[in-house]
Amino acid sequence: MTKSIMQTADRVIAATYKRFPIVLKRGQGCTVWDTQGRKYTDFVAGIAVCNLGHAHPRIADAVARQAKELVHVSNLYYTIPQTELAQLLVKNSFADRVFFGNSGAEANEAAIKLARKYFNDKGQPQRSGIVSMEKSFHGRTMATLSATGQEKIKKGFDPVLDGFSFVPFGDIEALKAAIDDRTCAVMLEPIQGEGGIRCPAPDFLKKVRELCDRCGVLMILDEIQTGMGRTGKLFAHEHDGVTPDIMTLAKALANGLPIGAMLATETVAAAFGPGAHASTFGGTPLVTAAALETLKMIAGEGIVDRARTTGDYFKDALKQLKLKHHCILEVRGKGLLLGIQLDRLADELVPVLMEKGFLVNCVQGDTLRFVPPLIVEKNEIDALIRCLDELLK
Ligand SMILES: *Cc1c(COP(=O)(O)O)cnc(C)c1O
């Protein structure tokens, strides 16, 4: 069965993903099982998506209940879960209004459109430029890949959209030089996930905020990977004591159901009036019921604090490992968004770790990324550390 699934998939599914040769069938908490019955501790969690773990009974119940009541209507009508989710997001963030889409890329598309529309409505349509960061990742649609600071993601898709420029992540002087009277927004991730778990200097976000205020441009934070408790705060920018004008969320927002959200202040969101933007599936009752249950749990049950303390424990263990193994160049990240950069290709380690029962993923070729469910146990971390210790010898 396993072989035939892999062969069929390779024949009938677009070949955009390089896949590992296992077929995953079931999950529970931080564990997933393949069709051969082999068990893996999941340090990928759907790439920072399943923050509450797999098959969470409360999410499963919320989905089942909602599926029996109302899956989809249209945004022509009000629905209860969408309203309650937006209300809870607003209550727990800087934002006043939320637009729902279906993915991270769509949330970022909405953010880019809103920033342009905001200045257009202010009679400054020439302000359409967006300054983004090198090594950033904002998605794969045309606008979001145009905003992405990685050539390999744009290759073959020219012409990309006009109006995007890039500065080194963390370089406030370069950012200052890049902003001009045609700029509408600065767009960045608080910690670059796909870019290799890169954290800027502790005061960088604050300086970006001050610079944006001084230049009268909007600050867009892409918290698609860093949000929902991942870094030990509900949103990563809370570590920095600043708030953006626009924030995007997706990945963990519904613990695995497809959703994206763009949150903005009242002043900025005012540029999105009736007809300005839309999405057929955006914020359906089904996914928003799952997201509502997810957010209630993450915002309300000590899970964010737990992500912080478990993350500290994990990071310390990785630092200990670095002292023993010189092939580890750097330990990076915050909370449970962690990575180790090696002095060699890290992607060769991924199948070996899989063989030993750990799902881990590699970014930028030389960095192992660890983004387990926020409910990961210390003994699961210890087991991974022991395995890495063996393998790096
Ligand atoms: C994953 C990710 C995206 C894209 O999300 P999709 O749902 O794949 O479109 C955008 N920005 C960041 C920071 C991400 O991690």
Side-chain angles (χ1 to χ4, degrees):
M1 208 262 274
T2 304
K3 260 240 146 62
S4 88
I5 288 286
M6 295 194 291
Q7 284 167 350
T8 308
D10 287 345
R11 193 174 64 244
V12 299
I13 299 175
T16 54
Y17 304 103
K18 189 162 166 274
R19 296 189 204 255
F20 295 101
I22 57 173
V23 179
L24 294 176
K25 191 158 181 294
R26 188 165 73 83
Q28 180 75 62
C30 296
T31 307
V32 288
W33 287 265
D34 69 13
T35 42
Q36 319 266 51
R38 279 179 305 205
K39 177 178 160 180
Y40 306 87
T41 311
D42 189 1
F43 283 85
V44 177
I47 312 191
V49 166
C50 306
N51 280 10
L52 296 170
H54 297 282
H56 195 292
R58 276 181 58 183
I59 312 280
D61 285 347
V63 170
R65 222 182 307 121
Q66 192 60 48
K68 289 179 194 161
E69 183 146 318
L70 187 69
V71 170
H72 175 81
V73 276
S74 159
N75 285 309
L76 291 169
Y77 314 102
Y78 296 98
T79 63
I80 300 162
Q82 186 185 104
T83 310
E84 290 183 350
L85 174 61
Q87 193 177 26
L88 198 56
L89 281 168
V90 164
K91 178 166 173 260
N92 283 285
S93 72
F94 70 94
D96 303 305
R97 287 183 187 269
V98 187
F99 175 85
F100 291 111
N102 310 285
S103 65
E106 278 182 57
N108 283 337
E109 284 273 344
I112 293 165
K113 286 182 71 175
L114 179 64
R116 289 188 170 177
K117 183 77 165 41
Y118 172 74
F119 283 103
N120 188 78
D121 289 6
K122 278 178 37 140
Q124 298 172 270
Q126 76 285 358
R127 272 201 185 271
S128 60
I130 296 194
V131 184
S132 174
M133 303 291 140
E134 289 171 9
K135 290 205 165 76
S136 59
F137 181 76
H138 297 300
R140 302 282 195 155
T141 60
M142 277 316 295
T144 58
L145 79 79
S146 303
T148 291
Q150 300 186 55
E151 283 317 307
K152 65 170 191 217
I153 286 174
K154 303 184 208 198
K155 209 172 152 226
F157 298 108
D158 277 334
V160 299
L161 253 59
D162 273 346
F164 292 88
S165 57
F166 300 89
V167 298
F169 186 47
D171 187 340
I172 197 74
E173 291 306 319
L175 183 60
K176 200 180 291 176
I179 296 174
D180 60 21
D181 57 5
R182 302 178 60 86
T183 306
C184 68
V186 173
M187 182 168 184
L188 74 165
E189 301 148 87
I191 296 173
Q192 291 187 332
E194 307 302 310
I197 323 296
R198 295 192 178 272
C199 304
D203 59 351
F204 182 61
L205 281 198
K206 200 164 228 157
K207 287 183 176 162
V208 173
R209 178 72 269 181
E210 285 162 11
L211 187 58
C212 287
D213 288 341
R214 205 160 351 112
C215 302
V217 305
L218 301 177
M219 179 173 173
I220 304 174
L221 276 184
D222 177 343
E223 291 241 23
I224 289 166
Q225 189 157 156
T226 54
M228 301 306 289
R230 174 58 55 189
T231 69
K233 296 271 187 194
L234 185 56
F235 306 117
H237 66 262
E238 294 171 19
H239 290 287
D240 304 272
V242 299
T243 58
D245 302 292
I246 301 174
M247 170 173 76
T248 52
L249 298 175
K251 289 198 161 78
L253 181 50
N255 206 51
L257 278 86
I259 188 170
M262 185 218 40
L263 289 75
T265 60
E266 183 67 44
T267 330
V268 177
F272 263 9
H277 195 43
S279 166
T280 296
F281 290 122
T284 61
L286 186 72
V287 296
T288 49
L292 181 62
E293 200 63 24
T294 304
L295 182 59
K296 277 183 186 164
M297 276 187 273
I298 291 184
E301 296 181 10
I303 287 176
V304 178
D305 288 335
R306 183 177 162 158
R308 185 163 55 239
T309 50
T310 317
D312 288 347
Y313 176 82
F314 195 172
K315 194 173 183 183
D316 279 344
L318 290 169
K319 282 182 176 163
Q320 291 300 318
L321 210 56
K322 178 177 180 288
L323 295 176
K324 281 174 75 179
H325 302 280
H326 296 296
C327 61
I328 302 179
L329 298 179
E330 205 172 17
V331 177
R332 292 194 291 261
K334 217 178 244 177
L336 284 167
L337 177 58
L338 296 171
I340 53 173
Q341 187 181 0
L342 304 183
D343 66 355
R344 63 192 70 168
L345 285 183
D347 40 14
E348 290 161 10
L349 272 178
V350 173
V352 186
L353 281 161
M354 207 173 78
E355 204 52 43
K356 306 265 182 202
F358 299 97
L359 299 186
V360 165
N361 124 290
C362 172
V363 282
Q364 301 293 319
D366 62 358
T367 301
L368 291 177
R369 167 168 56 184
F370 308 108
V371 281
L374 307 184
I375 56 166
V376 67
E377 299 280 350
K378 283 183 177 166
N379 65 333
E380 291 168 314
I381 293 168
D382 294 342
L384 174 73
I385 296 286
R386 275 197 303 276
C387 182
L388 283 167
D389 192 19
E390 274 302 306
L391 289 177
L392 295 173
K393 265 186 192 136

